[in-house]
Amino acid sequence: EVGLYAYGLAFYLTLLGLALFGQNVFLSTRIGRRPKSFPVIASHSLTVTGAMIALTAAGGGVFLWAGGAETGEVLALGFFLLALVARGFAFWVRLCFIALERAGWIPRYELLFRGGEAVVGSAVLLMGGGLVAVCFLHFLFWALEAAASFRLLRARTGIRLRLGWNRRLLIRIVRIS
């Protein structure tokens, strides 16, 4: 189970690198130059990031489906794919705050959510929980962090979180990314 857990982490972290699609550089360079354009840039970047997260998660799902793994393995790796979605969005929010140069909250969230995951995960293992339970907790804590991060983004920037649909801007972001 430890080997499968390590494999699952490596698998979804590789996909996460693809899912973020260079938004770290894009957001930092665009928002750094024009902070007032943050709402427009962020909404379109969120659209690109969401599409890439969906594509990579779907690709991972196809890979998982075609792999012929056992039910427990499929569940565990499926929770990692769900964690990919949650972690991708949590990281996107972090990238926005980094671009705005307001990232002081990130270590507190890391301590709260990763520490909570470690404590609860250890308790679950001590109570006899297995691989699927730990993978579910990994997904759950990233989903909670993503929700809290989006809430923080709205509270600290005042922007309405929407998807951007300006075709020219989306194409430009994809080309730059």
Side-chain angles (χ1 to χ4, degrees):
E1 288 187 342
V2 172
L4 186 61
Y5 186 81
Y7 166 77
L9 277 175
F11 174 65
Y12 103 88
L13 288 176
T14 300
L15 292 177
L16 182 63
L18 297 171
L20 291 175
F21 199 59
Q23 293 307 293
N24 55 341
V25 175
F26 173 76
L27 289 169
S28 292
T29 57
R30 299 298 177 204
I31 294 170
R33 280 188 253 156
R34 288 179 251 138
K36 290 184 180 183
S37 65
F38 176 68
V40 173
I41 291 172
S43 66
H44 288 80
S45 173
L46 180 59
T47 302
V48 170
T49 302
M52 288 305 298
I53 288 171
L55 284 173
T56 54
V62 168
F63 182 79
L64 184 60
W65 173 74
E70 295 178 19
T71 304
E73 294 169 347
V74 169
L75 278 174
L77 295 174
F79 283 128
F80 277 130
L81 286 177
L82 291 174
L84 163 76
V85 174
R87 193 171 186 171
F89 285 118
F91 274 24
W92 180 83
V93 172
R94 288 183 186 190
L95 296 174
C96 287
F97 276 106
I98 290 168
L100 292 168
E101 298 179 358
R102 294 191 236 165
W105 62 273
I106 294 173
R108 289 189 301 273
Y109 270 42
E110 277 294 309
L111 182 62
L112 175 68
F113 289 103
R114 299 297 72 74
E117 181 181 349
V119 169
V120 173
S122 296
V124 166
L125 286 173
L126 289 172
M127 292 187 303
L131 174 67
V132 174
V134 171
C135 292
F136 171 76
L137 286 173
H138 183 72
F139 154 67
L140 178 65
F141 274 88
W142 276 110
L144 291 172
E145 182 174 344
S149 297
F150 272 109
R151 188 167 184 246
L152 186 70
L153 181 66
R154 181 166 167 81
R156 292 204 178 164
T157 64
I159 68 166
R160 295 184 66 193
L161 296 171
R162 296 180 174 186
L163 297 177
W165 297 107
N166 182 317
R167 187 171 178 252
R168 285 183 30 207
L169 187 52
L170 289 171
I171 290 170
R172 192 166 158 210
I173 291 172
V174 168
R175 284 184 182 155
I176 292 168
S177 298

